[in-house]
């Protein structure tokens, strides 16, 4: 994660449901995943795909699960409902004229480390 990344803390009036983080070290190419987001303002959208590639140099997962503008920050879930990644970006060389179908996610272990580093 970048040094400019921020963590938003929510103090709700009532108890919120939570999900568990999975171990992103266990993620495999070909593994089925689900992506939850808010693409183009269409809330509560769920798409499915697979992990297409693991980029160990940039520490990112590549997925064909639809990640469109408005999905960044949403969870990538494994088949048991654990968060294994956080949607980050899409590959879009033509600047939103088309959706190429290549999305990227930050592994959950990186997100867990970042959250722990922000606790005071």
């Amino acid at each position: 994660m970048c040094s400019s990344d921020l963590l938003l803390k929510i103090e709700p009036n009532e108890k919120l449901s939570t999900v568990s983080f999975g171990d992103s070290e266990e993620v495999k190419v070909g593994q089925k995943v689900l992506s939850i987001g808010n693409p183009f303002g269409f809330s509560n959208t769920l798409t499915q795909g697979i992990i297409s590639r693991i980029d160990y140099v940039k520490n990112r997962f590549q997925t064909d699960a639809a990640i469109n503008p408005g999905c960044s920050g949403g969870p990538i879930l494994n088949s048991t409902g654990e968060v294994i990644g956080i949607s980050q970006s899409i590959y879009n060389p033509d600047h939103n004229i088309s959706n190429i179908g290549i999305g990227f996610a930050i592994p959950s272990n990186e997100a867990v480390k970042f959250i722990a580093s922000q606790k005071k």
Side-chain angles (χ1 to χ4, degrees):
M1 307 203 61
C2 299
S3 61
S4 63
D5 292 332
L6 300 173
L7 180 65
L8 176 66
K9 182 177 180 180
I10 299 172
E11 295 184 10
N13 293 329
E14 57 190 58
K15 185 169 174 67
L16 300 175
S17 299
T18 61
V19 294
S20 299
F21 283 102
D23 184 355
S24 56
E25 291 289 322
E26 296 179 8
V27 172
K28 305 285 186 229
V29 171
Q31 177 177 336
K32 291 181 184 179
V33 293
L34 300 170
S35 173
I36 299 175
N38 187 34
F40 303 104
F42 296 105
S43 61
N44 303 315
T45 299
L46 175 71
T47 61
Q48 69 176 356
I50 63 167
I51 296 294
S52 307
R53 178 175 179 260
I54 300 173
D55 187 334
Y56 295 102
V57 174
K58 294 183 180 177
N59 200 17
R60 298 290 182 266
F61 298 143
Q62 178 182 323
T63 181
D64 67 347
I67 298 175
N68 292 298
C71 291
S72 295
I76 301 289
L77 307 167
N78 62 18
S79 59
T80 60
E82 296 173 313
V83 176
I84 57 167
I86 308 296
S87 298
Q88 181 199 27
S89 61
I90 58 171
Y91 178 66
N92 197 311
D94 59 8
H95 307 290
N96 291 333
I97 294 172
S98 65
N99 180 350
I100 304 295
I102 301 173
F104 297 94
I106 298 165
S108 60
N109 291 1
E110 288 298 309
V112 169
K113 282 188 230 175
F114 177 73
I115 292 166
S117 76
Q118 299 301 301
K119 290 185 178 178
K120 298 183 183 189

